Amino acid sequence: MHRPESKDHSVVAAPLNPHPLARMIRDEIIERRGWMRFERFMELALYAPGLGYYSGGRRILGRTPEDGSDFVTAPELTPLFGQTLAKQVEQALDATGTDEVWEFGAGSGALAEQLLGTLGSRIRRYTILDVSGTLRDRQHQRLRKALPELVHKVVWADSLPETLEGVVVGNEVLDAMPVHLLRWSGEQWQERGVGLAPEDTPEAPVFAWVDQPAPEGARPSTEHTDAEFVPGTVVESHGEAEAFISTLASMMTRGAAFFIDYGFPEAEYYLPQRIGGTIMCHHLHQSDPDPLTHVGEKDITTHVNFTGIALAGQEGGWEVLGYTTQARFLINCGLLAQMGTAGQPESTSAADFKTRAAVQMLLTEHEMGELFKVIGFVKGEWFDAIGFDEGDRTHTL
């Protein structure tokens, strides 16, 4: 995923940005004298009230481009994902003596349906915090239809509480939190921000990468020396995600937390050969590395630096329960046993073929099995979480 290289002003050849959000961002860039931190640009592109990708009201989650969606997440692939995760959640509830689940970024509501439907009476309350009003409506409709006898347990929160206890889950939440960009010129670290290209117009904004000297001491938090980075290398700094984790940890009085996302430990995240960083955009089930085009119409994500997440959790008072791949975590929690007849080669029903295909996506290295990781935390007495029984990689963080 490469970025254009320049010392001062690099222009991205881009289609027009006719979305009203692009014009709003353009106005703010002008107010900021022609330069906006990428962190702010990403925040507006994804979350600007009523206009951002997640807050603008369009359907984003689904299986195919034909339904107007942009990407699919594990809970939409098969209910076995949430039913298997429920084994870990139940153990954590028992170990911490709690009875509430908190889900951050609940998407279509599929994971909530799977967890609540599996655990039932074991959960007293299921609290969802999601910034998208459209997704909240979709979640409510789905749960009311699928679990009419349990939907009364679901609460939608508008903000973080002062304190919380229970088990926190977050599937593909951290990757969508705004990041700060740094670029190595070969001589110094620069802040990579967004400006306006020469061909920009008020009716059709065109954005460009603009680099300026970074504050003194700004550099990636890695043991790699500056000399190891290839000139033009762009890296992400995850201050917002790490602050979110630290805040959650400090709010929790007792409980556990599990976050599932794609990413690497720090030693892999900042490998010198990862020259273009990890930014990736998604639209109609196609991906591209250019966040400056089709603003407001496509998702913008980055891979997670799990070392930074682990340190942030510890700073807030959590202990790390474990860290491993999604494949190993799900197998440890009994996914293969959950498959039932769908795991039998002699089964030829269309539904079983579909289930086996979905499980393959969850587990295989070239799909989600290796790239996606799971990190677990606890506040209170430490316990042996079943998801990390085998293949724990905490030592790599």
Side-chain angles (χ1 to χ4, degrees):
M1 292 168 279
H2 296 278
R3 292 284 184 277
E5 298 181 10
S6 74
K7 294 187 181 296
D8 301 305
H9 194 258
S10 56
V11 177
V12 175
L16 301 180
N17 280 302
H19 196 285
L21 175 61
R23 292 193 285 274
M24 187 191 82
I25 293 175
R26 179 184 187 274
D27 291 342
E28 185 168 326
I29 289 174
I30 292 173
E31 290 176 4
R32 292 173 177 268
R33 300 183 179 180
W35 189 84
M36 175 187 286
R37 290 187 71 179
F38 180 75
E39 190 173 39
R40 174 61 175 167
F41 179 90
M42 184 172 173
E43 176 188 355
L44 291 173
L46 296 181
Y47 304 111
L51 293 174
Y53 178 77
Y54 285 107
S55 56
R58 65 182 293 269
R59 180 184 178 93
I60 59 177
L61 290 166
R63 289 179 173 273
T64 66
E66 287 71 29
D67 62 20
S69 65
D70 296 324
F71 57 90
V72 65
T73 59
E76 277 86 36
L77 287 173
T78 171
L80 290 177
F81 177 81
Q83 292 164 6
T84 302
L85 177 59
K87 302 296 183 181
Q88 178 62 90
V89 172
E90 183 175 29
Q91 185 208 18
L93 289 169
D94 292 342
T96 59
T98 57
D99 57 10
E100 183 170 1
V101 172
W102 292 76
E103 184 180 358
F104 288 83
S108 68
L111 183 56
E113 177 188 339
Q114 293 155 19
L115 291 176
L116 191 57
T118 302
L119 297 175
S121 60
R122 184 62 187 83
I123 298 176
R124 176 181 58 86
R125 183 167 59 192
Y126 195 106
T127 302
I128 293 174
L129 198 150
D130 203 306
V131 298
S132 170
T134 300
L135 287 177
R136 286 169 62 147
D137 290 342
R138 187 175 172 188
Q139 294 154 13
H140 187 268
Q141 293 171 14
R142 177 175 191 143
L143 295 173
R144 185 175 57 186
K145 180 179 179 180
L147 303 171
E149 74 285 3
L150 295 173
V151 70
H152 68 279
K153 297 188 175 190
V154 183
V155 176
W156 280 266
D158 295 317
S159 60
L160 291 172
E162 291 186 7
T163 63
L164 66 86
E165 64 176 36
V167 176
V168 169
V169 293
N171 182 60
E172 293 198 51
V173 173
L174 302 177
D175 64 88
M177 293 191 175
V179 297
H180 179 48
L181 296 183
L182 292 170
R183 178 183 181 275
W184 176 242
S185 70
E187 299 177 354
Q188 64 176 342
W189 285 101
Q190 302 171 321
E191 283 191 284
R192 168 147 286 193
V194 180
L196 301 176
E199 60 268 37
D200 166 76
T201 67
E203 296 76 23
V206 181
F207 301 112
W209 294 117
V210 182
D211 302 322
Q212 63 179 30
E216 185 176 353
R219 68 178 312 280
S221 56
T222 171
E223 294 182 359
H224 295 295
T225 66
D226 291 342
E228 292 180 88
F229 289 96
V230 177
T233 294
V234 177
V235 299
E236 299 97 13
S237 176
H238 299 261
E240 186 161 328
E242 291 167 7
F244 168 75
I245 291 294
S246 182
T247 299
L248 272 185
S250 64
M251 288 176 172
M252 182 177 282
T253 55
R254 59 172 173 154
F258 301 90
F259 295 94
I260 306 168
D261 228 312
Y262 42 91
F264 316 99
E266 190 168 274
E268 296 178 37
Y269 199 93
Y270 293 120
L271 286 175
Q273 60 264 38
R274 208 180 301 284
I275 186 171
T278 70
I279 289 178
M280 188 56 62
C281 304
H282 305 276
H283 180 64
L284 297 177
H285 294 263
Q286 298 291 317
S287 60
D288 72 81
D290 185 0
L292 304 189
T293 62
H294 300 292
V295 175
E297 300 174 14
K298 62 183 181 181
D299 193 17
I300 305 173
T301 71
T302 63
H303 289 50
V304 175
N305 176 355
F306 279 101
T307 299
I309 295 301
L311 292 173
Q314 291 175 330
E315 182 180 328
W318 276 341
E319 289 185 78
V320 176
L321 282 172
Y323 167 72
T324 192
T325 64
Q326 175 177 284
R328 177 46 58 188
F329 181 86
L330 293 175
I331 291 171
N332 287 341
C333 291
L335 175 60
L336 299 181
Q338 289 279 105
M339 288 179 66
T341 58
Q344 302 301 318
E346 62 269 19
S347 176
T348 58
S349 74
D352 286 349
F353 273 128
K354 185 177 180 180
T355 298
R356 286 199 294 271
V359 169
Q360 184 179 32
M361 286 192 68
L362 294 178
L363 299 183
T364 55
E365 286 190 15
H366 67 280
E367 294 285 357
M368 301 172 70
E370 173 66 28
L371 180 60
F372 277 69
K373 310 296 193 310
V374 185
I375 190 167
F377 297 100
V378 65
K379 173 72 72 74
E381 188 174 348
W382 197 91
F383 63 95
D384 289 314
I386 57 175
F388 308 109
D389 276 348
E390 296 183 18
D392 185 14
R393 298 186 182 182
T394 303
H395 64 281
T396 69
L397 290 172

